[in-house]
């Protein structure tokens, strides 16, 4: 279980809020931790999914190509959870910080689409989106929800457009290249950022974990909100340990005057 955030540390909260309030082109970087309170298990960390499945195996392109049915039987359970999930207070807080003019964008390693649901306007999905499925033969796209609806009758699911191609979610599996446009956009924003706000990520997956370094080199202060320590804590101006769904709204309360955002 992720422990509830400690109520002390008012000083750190004020410090972080001050840095966010001063920012005009901040970049947020999020990971699986921000969606944990929406009921989606993280890969690493407390309750991590990686304790139940072999992550590289079930999330690799090689595994998908060898046995799409096995891939889809894992994806079916997890995907259903993601399709039903709702954004939490942490997602809403990041949308409010963008609305109030402090964040330019959210770059996320998540594929669940919850930042968009919460109202964030500029969302850079570094690892693609799990809401869409694409045919590997003809390229036709369908919603994930439509494919899930027929999984009970068809495993693995096949493309309706060409009548046979294998369908793969438009997420980036291990062994696939990062989406070039999204990656370039995130690095440009990190370079131009006047604040880097990291939330709910172990900062263990590159190149996403490179973004805070780029921002730091460009002179932006780093604020980290995470349940556990990360390898970047020592570079941060402020580290707030706890739940992002509790801490991010506390920051918004201090940064965005009541009635706005
Ligand atoms: P991760 O699973 O490696 O790390 C998650 C981090 O979040 C951990 O450090 C953990 O301590 C922290 N955490 C857990 N609950 C938290 C909470 N309530 N508040 C704050 N922090 C919390 O995730 P990652 O670094 O994002 O990388 C794993 C990869 O797996 C990602 O690239 C992503 O594509 C994928 N993934 C996506 C989802 C999703 O879309 N929701 C979920 C799991 C994994
Ligand atoms: Zn097809």
């Amino acid at each position: 279980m992720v422990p509830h955030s400690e109520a002390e540390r008012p000083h750190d909260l004020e410090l972080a809020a001050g840095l966010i309030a001063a920012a005009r082109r901040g970049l947020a970087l999020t990971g699986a931790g921000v969606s944990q309170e929406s009921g989606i298990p993280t890969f690493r960390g407390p309750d991590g999914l990686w304790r139940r499945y072999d992550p590289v195996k079930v999330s690799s392109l090689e595994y998908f190509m060898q046995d799409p049915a096995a891939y889809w039987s894992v994806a079916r359970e997890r995907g259903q959870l993601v399709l039903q999930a709702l954004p939490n207070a942490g997602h809403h807080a990041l949308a409010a910080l963008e609305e109030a003019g402090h964040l330019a964008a959210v770059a996320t390693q998540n594929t669940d689409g919850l930042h968009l649901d919460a109202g964030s306007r500029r969302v850079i999905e570094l690892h693609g989106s799990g809401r869409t499925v694409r045919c590997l033969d003809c390229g036709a796209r369908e919603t994930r929800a439509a494919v899930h609806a027929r999984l009970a009758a068809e495993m693995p699911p096949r493309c309706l457009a060409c009548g046979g191609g294998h369908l793969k979610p438009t997420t980036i599996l291990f062994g696939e290249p990062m989406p070039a446009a999204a990656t370039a956009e995130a690095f440009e924003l990190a370079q131009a950022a006047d604040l880097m706000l990291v939330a709910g990520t172990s900062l263990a997956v590159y190149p996403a974990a490179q973004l805070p370094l780029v921002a730091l080199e460009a002179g932006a202060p780093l604020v980290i909100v995470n349940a556990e320590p990360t390898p970047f804590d020592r570079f941060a101006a402020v580290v707030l340990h706890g739940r992002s769904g509790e801490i991010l709204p506390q920051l918004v309360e201090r940064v965005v005057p009541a009635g706005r955002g």
Side-chain angles (χ1 to χ4, degrees):
M1 276 296 293
V2 178
H4 280 278
S5 319
E6 302 137 48
E8 87 299 338
R9 286 186 325 244
H11 175 71
D12 284 351
L13 269 176
E14 298 307 331
L15 195 59
L19 293 171
I20 295 168
R24 294 291 173 272
R25 45 182 196 284
L27 176 63
L29 171 65
T30 67
V34 295
S35 294
Q36 186 266 338
E37 289 153 90
S38 293
I40 303 174
T42 60
F43 276 13
R44 302 180 182 83
D47 303 331
L49 192 68
W50 290 28
R51 294 176 188 178
R52 286 202 285 137
Y53 300 111
D54 175 351
V56 177
K57 198 173 159 201
V58 303
S59 307
S60 72
L61 184 64
E62 193 187 356
Y63 179 69
F64 177 87
M65 298 306 270
Q66 275 169 6
D67 194 348
Y71 170 88
W72 271 104
S73 59
V74 175
R76 182 181 187 178
E77 181 194 340
R78 184 177 158 71
Q80 198 55 40
L81 201 67
V82 174
L83 288 175
Q84 287 163 357
L86 297 172
N88 65 55
H91 297 105
H92 287 296
L94 291 172
L97 293 178
E98 181 186 22
E99 176 71 22
H102 301 294
L103 289 182
V106 179
T108 186
Q109 300 167 84
N110 297 341
T111 56
D112 55 38
L114 293 180
H115 286 300
L116 291 164
D117 287 350
S120 283
R121 277 175 295 196
R122 190 163 178 190
V123 179
I124 302 161
E125 294 182 308
L126 296 165
H127 295 166
S129 169
R131 293 211 170 156
T132 310
V133 162
R134 188 175 167 277
C135 172
L136 294 183
D137 283 358
C138 76
R141 285 171 190 258
E142 277 191 76
T143 66
R144 179 76 171 262
V147 174
H148 270 257
R150 62 177 192 271
L151 283 181
E154 188 184 41
M155 185 63 93
R158 299 288 189 153
C159 174
L160 298 177
C162 68
H166 279 298
L167 296 172
K168 190 189 92 54
T170 56
T171 51
I172 307 304
L173 297 177
F174 289 100
E176 288 189 284
M178 298 275 288
T183 307
E185 187 183 0
F187 275 92
E188 271 169 35
L189 286 162
Q191 183 78 50
D194 56 4
L195 165 81
M196 184 81 210
L197 174 59
V198 169
T201 172
S202 59
L203 291 175
V205 181
Y206 282 81
Q210 191 78 32
L211 290 169
L213 288 181
V214 170
L216 279 167
E217 259 174 39
L222 173 62
V223 174
I224 297 180
V225 177
N226 202 53
E228 295 177 303
T230 80
F232 288 69
D233 287 4
R234 64 203 164 102
F235 303 120
V238 191
V239 179
L240 298 167
H241 281 139
R243 298 181 181 211
S244 50
E246 294 174 4
I247 294 171
L248 293 173
Q250 289 172 19
L251 292 171
V252 170
E253 275 169 31
R254 285 162 175 76
V255 171
V256 184
R260 283 184 56 213

